[in-house]
Structures are given as structure tokens and as C-alpha cells.
Amino acid sequence: MVRIRVLVVDDHRIFAESLAAALAAEPDVDVAAAGSGPAALRCLDRAAAEGRRFDVMLVDADLGTAAAAQLGMRAVAVPDGGDNGLVDGISLVVGVRSGQPSVRTVVLAEKDDSRRAALALQAGASGWVAKDCSLQRLLAVIRGVLRDETHLPPALLTGVLRELTAARKHRTESERLVESLTPREREVLRCMVAGLGRKAVAERLFLSPHTVRTHMQNVLGKLGVHSTLAAVALARRAGVGPVDLAGDVVERGGQLA
């Protein structure tokens, strides 16, 4: 019998343990549970290193929000799975999709939300399921996503399609605007996406701050926005990534910085 390995990720302990126990009663399902995004990432990495990867991850759409509220912050992605922050549900989907694309993810939600369901699908989730659905329904979804099916509640289909269509339209328009930039302006835009200020961009591109200021003004004008934040948001919609800062090594005063 081929066994399905499932990871339940939910910071509501009673729900996570109850769901894990119900799934474990199935003869072809092995289950583990994690109470946070970082814990889930560590669990996935450990399983992969041991050659027993998980097949499906069930993740709470509101993962981390309760803890974040207590700390007066919002849940955010922690790329390396460390303990110094919180990971929200959709950010966790992004991280898993990037690091372990063979793992199918299904988002478990308290309520229907077309916008968030669309965001989950864009992040790489294979399904959006109500937390109060029957065990039989959830098992059908788990087995379905392993056949590369996408599962959504029927009531959400129209809304999700509308959201995805709007997102595609915005992306297409953003791509057209980015294509209007010169190669140098695109390079400056990538620096902006990386969070570099005018001085840092000037040092990186060996330009004067005045020249960089001109390029930035041109970028804003061609993109039709009035701030760096808006330009960065548009760039990300168009698929423009940041410049690679990790590989930068600068020699200063005889020392590497």
C-alpha cells in the first residue's frame, strides 16, 4: 500500500491534534503536526534530508495571526525558517513551493474569501478548503491534489476567477510599463526593489547621485507612479526581482565588507 505523508500546520493545538488523529486513522495516511511556520519548515527539511518527504501540507490560512496580534505585529515570512519571526499561512505556501515544489499544499480556512483564496493559488497552493468540511471531503482533496487537481469550494469559483483575471490584467499592464524603461532604468528599478537608496544605487552602478536621481525620476514617470513604494509594488507585479546583493563583496580600507 502506498502511504500518503501529510503535515498539518496550525497554531491552534487542539484543532491540529484532532485533525492529525482523524487522518492517522486512515490506513494509507501518515501524519505529523507543526504548530508554527518555522516549525513546519524545519519538519519539511528534516523529512527531506531523511529521504521521507511529505506529500501534502495542510496549512491554516490564519497561521500566526493570533500570536502576531499578541506581539503587536503582523505575521511575516521567515525565509530560513528561523525562530525570530512569524510565518503567515500564504507566505508559508510560497516558501514551501520554492524550496520543495513536490509538496502539494492545501489551505484550511475558517471562512470563504475569494481574494485570499486567489492569493493562495497564486502562491502555489493546490486547494482552499473550509476547516469545518467533512473528513471524507478533506481526504478527497488530499488524494485529488496528488493527481494535480485544484480544489476550491464551488461558492468561491466565480470570485476566485474574477480575482485571478484582474491580477493577470494588472500584471500585463505592469509588464508593458516596465518594458518602456531603458536597460539602465530597469537596472535602477531592480535596485529600488532590493531596497537600495539613491546613494547605494550610485555606488553600485558607479554613477553620480544626481544621475541616479534623474534615472529614478524617469522610472517613476514612465511607470506612472509617484513614490518608490508604488514603483516597487508595480515592479513586483510585473515579475521584476531585486538585484542580487548576497554576492556583493566590496573592499574598503583593506578589509572586505
Side-chain angles (χ1 to χ4, degrees), residues 85-155:
L86 299 163
V87 180
D88 64 46
I90 294 178
S91 294
L92 180 59
V93 172
V94 174
V96 172
R97 184 65 177 173
S98 174
Q100 297 196 36
S102 64
V103 179
R104 305 296 195 275
T105 56
V106 175
V107 178
L108 304 179
E110 292 278 2
K111 59 183 180 180
D112 288 345
D113 187 325
S114 297
R115 185 186 67 82
R116 295 187 70 203
L119 288 174
L121 294 185
Q122 289 175 308
S126 297
W128 177 280
V129 182
K131 276 191 169 184
D132 60 358
C133 74
S134 67
L135 180 62
Q136 290 70 29
R137 166 63 179 162
L138 184 57
L139 287 168
V141 171
I142 290 172
R143 295 188 171 103
V145 298
L146 288 175
R147 297 190 297 267
D148 290 326
E149 297 173 0
T150 299
H151 285 260
L152 287 169

Side-chain angles (χ1 to χ4, degrees), residues 45-219:
D45 288 342
R46 184 167 58 250
E50 295 173 356
R52 50 185 187 87
R53 292 179 182 272
F54 284 95
D55 300 301
V56 179
M57 179 180 73
L58 306 177
V59 57
D60 178 20
D62 298 315
L63 182 70
T65 55
Q70 293 177 354
L71 295 172
M73 59 186 288
R74 66 179 294 274
V76 295
V78 181
D80 61 358
D83 291 313
N84 297 324
L86 299 163
V87 180
D88 64 46
I90 294 178
S91 294
L92 180 59
V93 172
V94 174
V96 172
R97 184 65 177 173
S98 174
Q100 297 196 36
S102 64
V103 179
R104 305 296 195 275
T105 56
V106 175
V107 178
L108 304 179
E110 292 278 2
K111 59 183 180 180
D112 288 345
D113 187 325
S114 297
R115 185 186 67 82
R116 295 187 70 203
L119 288 174
L121 294 185
Q122 289 175 308
S126 297
W128 177 280
V129 182
K131 276 191 169 184
D132 60 358
C133 74
S134 67
L135 180 62
Q136 290 70 29
R137 166 63 179 162
L138 184 57
L139 287 168
V141 171
I142 290 172
R143 295 188 171 103
V145 298
L146 288 175
R147 297 190 297 267
D148 290 326
E149 297 173 0
T150 299
H151 285 260
L152 287 169
L156 284 185
L157 284 177
T158 300
V160 168
L161 287 175
R162 185 183 301 113
E163 292 285 344
L164 292 176
T165 299
R168 189 177 300 112
K169 179 180 179 181
H170 290 156
R171 180 181 176 89
T172 301
E173 176 64 14
S174 299
E175 289 173 343
R176 184 186 66 77
L177 291 171
V178 169
E179 288 174 358
S180 70
L181 303 179
T182 66
R184 175 63 86 184
E185 288 166 351
R186 292 183 198 178
E187 197 170 11
V188 169
L189 178 59
R190 293 187 64 213
C191 290
M192 294 164 66
V193 172
L196 299 182
R198 188 189 309 166
K199 183 178 179 181
V201 176
E203 291 177 353
R204 179 183 178 86
L205 302 182
F206 303 103
L207 299 171
S208 72
H210 176 74
T211 300
V212 171
R213 179 185 179 188
T214 300
H215 282 312
M216 286 184 166
Q217 289 176 338
N218 289 340
V219 167

